[in-house]
């Protein structure tokens, strides 16, 4: 079952600079920020906790990163919406029964979560991530 919006992700050229902007705009405490490198996605990410949800800032690690390609094509801006689920396999099966298939099987993402993405063509040109916290 989908529980809530886990985070909204924004692609940026420079993580430090974007982090300063968002920290100022949101007025958040330094303790609300967590930075992590996700080698599998070739990105460096910053999560800013906002109550029940987060904002994720995504910076490419190199030109091979999907985020580098996104930035080259679209510039900075919203990249995806992530939905928290308690059972990603159940969601995958539910979607498959509707003939909606994720971009590959669930894999490990930031924060050790199990994640999968739906192609934006499935959902009105918005990239959706499903994320399950590991127990
Ligand atoms: Zn995400």
């Amino acid at each position: 079952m989908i529980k809530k919006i886990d985070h909204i992700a924004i692609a940026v050229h420079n993580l430090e600079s974007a982090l300063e902007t968002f920290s100022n705009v949101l007025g958040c405490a330094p303790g609300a920020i967590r930075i992590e490198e996700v080698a599998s996605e070739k990105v460096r990410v910053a999560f800013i906790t906002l109550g029940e949800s987060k904002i994720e800032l995504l910076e490419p690690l190199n030109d091979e990163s999907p985020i580098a390609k996104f930035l080259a094509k679209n510039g900075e801006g919203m990249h995806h919406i992530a939905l928290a689920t308690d059972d990603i396999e159940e969601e995958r099966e539910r979607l498959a029964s509707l003939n909606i298939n994720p971009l590959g099987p669930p894999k490990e993402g930031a924060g050790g979560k199990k994640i999968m993405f739906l192609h934006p063509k499935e959902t009105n040109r918005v990239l959706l991530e499903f994320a399950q916290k590991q127990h």
Side-chain angles (χ1 to χ4, degrees), residues 54-120:
K54 296 180 253 350
I55 287 184
E56 175 184 37
L57 302 173
L58 293 162
E59 176 196 66
L61 281 179
N62 56 46
D63 290 346
E64 301 305 303
S65 168
I67 297 303
K69 288 168 188 148
F70 176 91
L71 287 168
K73 197 175 163 199
N74 307 291
E76 293 187 311
M78 209 190 88
H79 183 262
H80 65 267
I81 297 175
L83 306 166
T85 172
D86 52 0
D87 190 340
I88 202 163
E89 286 301 334
E90 181 185 280
E91 289 305 314
R92 196 176 61 79
E93 280 164 30
R94 189 179 61 80
L95 291 165
S97 75
L98 301 168
N99 248 332
I100 299 171
N101 292 301
L103 292 162
K107 58 186 173 182
E108 186 168 324
K113 285 184 176 175
K114 250 192 202 176
I115 62 166
M116 67 179 182
F117 288 95
L118 291 190
H119 195 282

Side-chain angles (χ1 to χ4, degrees), residues 6-7 19 32-36 45-49 54-57 110-111:
D6 187 77
H7 60 268
L19 203 45
I33 296 165
R34 183 169 58 80
I35 295 175
E36 183 184 342
V45 305
F47 282 101
I48 305 169
T49 300
K54 296 180 253 350
I55 287 184
E56 175 184 37
L57 302 173

Side-chain angles (χ1 to χ4, degrees), residues 11-62:
V12 303
H13 288 294
N14 182 296
L15 197 68
E16 274 65 35
S17 148
L19 203 45
E20 192 182 333
T21 302
F22 276 86
S23 305
N24 288 340
V25 169
L26 302 170
C28 62
I33 296 165
R34 183 169 58 80
I35 295 175
E36 183 184 342
E37 196 171 299
V38 186
S40 63
E41 296 292 315
K42 303 183 183 74
V43 290
R44 213 154 61 91
V45 305
F47 282 101
I48 305 169
T49 300
L50 289 171
E52 285 282 291
S53 317
K54 296 180 253 350
I55 287 184
E56 175 184 37
L57 302 173
L58 293 162
E59 176 196 66
L61 281 179
N62 56 46

